[in-house]
Amino acid sequence: MRSNPMTVAPPTWLAIDSDTYKRLLNRTAVAITKRAKKRGATYQVKEAIDAIHAAFHRCDGRDPYDGLPLDGGHLDGSRCPTVCPGDNDTIPHFVILSLQTKEAKGGMTAEEFIAHCRAVVAHTDKTSTAK
């Protein structure tokens, strides 16, 4: 999705104004690109802006891992939307997660994170006395 960052609009589920959205895209793209370049990425900030904007518009306002709604009206808190690089952080591909999920997932791939969550649930089911 090639677009001029000066004319982008937030998705309907994200209840922030266009200027705030533009600042969010730019700040996030600069930070992610800087971090990714240290890991061998070659993409530019503009490519990251476009990819992050596309990720926000692909998102339906729910965290793709837990299915719970994101807090599209706030940019802080555990349910706020946050940008997470895909499993390969050398290419500009991103997903929108809740801050809560992003912090829990850390650097794990999607498959590793889901396997870990299943292990946590299985262990809790086996050892829980409150059933």
Side-chain angles (χ1 to χ4, degrees):
M1 174 180 271
R2 286 295 212 200
S3 60
N4 181 338
M6 301 310 289
T7 61
V8 295
T12 55
W13 63 266
L14 190 60
I16 59 175
D17 63 75
S18 290
D19 288 337
T20 302
Y21 182 62
K22 289 177 212 172
R23 282 192 304 275
L24 171 69
L25 287 177
N26 190 58
R27 276 194 327 260
T28 305
V30 167
I32 286 175
T33 302
K34 184 177 180 179
R35 208 173 308 122
K37 284 189 184 255
K38 291 178 183 176
R39 295 184 178 109
T42 58
Y43 60 85
Q44 301 300 312
V45 171
K46 173 68 170 106
E47 293 172 278
I49 288 171
D50 290 343
I52 292 166
H53 177 60
F56 270 109
H57 280 274
R58 278 193 315 272
C59 180
D60 63 359
R62 294 187 170 276
D63 185 295
Y65 288 99
D66 63 22
L68 297 173
L70 299 169
D71 186 355
H74 297 94
L75 297 179
D76 59 359
S78 66
R79 298 306 306 172
C80 75
T82 189
V83 179
C84 186
D87 289 340
N88 180 352
D89 63 0
T90 62
I91 60 170
H93 177 75
F94 306 100
V95 292
I96 306 303
L97 307 177
S98 68
L99 181 60
Q100 182 179 34
T101 298
K102 183 178 179 181
E103 288 178 347
K105 182 178 177 293
M108 290 184 260
T109 66
E111 293 78 18
E112 291 168 339
F113 179 59
I114 291 167
H116 176 71
C117 290
R118 286 185 176 134
V120 169
V121 170
H123 174 74
T124 301
D125 286 348
K126 275 196 297 188
T127 60
S128 178
T129 57
K131 290 192 180 199

